[in-house]
Amino acid sequence: MINQTIEEKRNKLNLDIRSILSIIDLIDGKGKKYEDYIPDSLNEEEYLNQQLALVSEAKERLLNIFKE
């Protein structure tokens, strides 16, 4: 049960980050396909690395929007 709850939270976090990136896509017009998180497909480190990469991309793209 605990593992299922953690996977649900992992999926929710991934969806929320990808939603933010989709909003950025609308603003800067540089749409991209972002991978879905597949439950139980990544260990903790791989999952965190995936989410950190998405957040870094969002941050960089937002900075670029405000620089223009």
Side-chain angles (χ1 to χ4, degrees), residues 16-53:
D16 286 348
I17 293 171
R18 288 186 299 120
S19 294
I20 292 167
L21 282 162
S22 293
I23 293 167
I24 295 169
D25 289 348
L26 292 172
I27 296 167
D28 70 8
K30 299 177 184 176
K32 182 179 167 186
K33 173 92 170 108
Y34 304 103
E35 279 188 49
D36 291 340
Y37 170 68
I38 301 167
D40 294 319
S41 64
L42 302 172
N43 67 34
E44 192 67 21
E45 184 175 4
E46 293 167 333
Y47 174 79
L48 290 172
N49 287 339
Q50 180 189 57
Q51 302 319 300
L52 286 169

Side-chain angles (χ1 to χ4, degrees), residues 42-68:
L42 302 172
N43 67 34
E44 192 67 21
E45 184 175 4
E46 293 167 333
Y47 174 79
L48 290 172
N49 287 339
Q50 180 189 57
Q51 302 319 300
L52 286 169
L54 291 173
V55 169
S56 291
E57 181 174 346
K59 181 178 95 175
E60 188 64 34
R61 288 180 59 197
L62 279 172
L63 287 172
N64 288 335
I65 289 169
F66 288 105
K67 285 181 182 176
E68 296 175 356

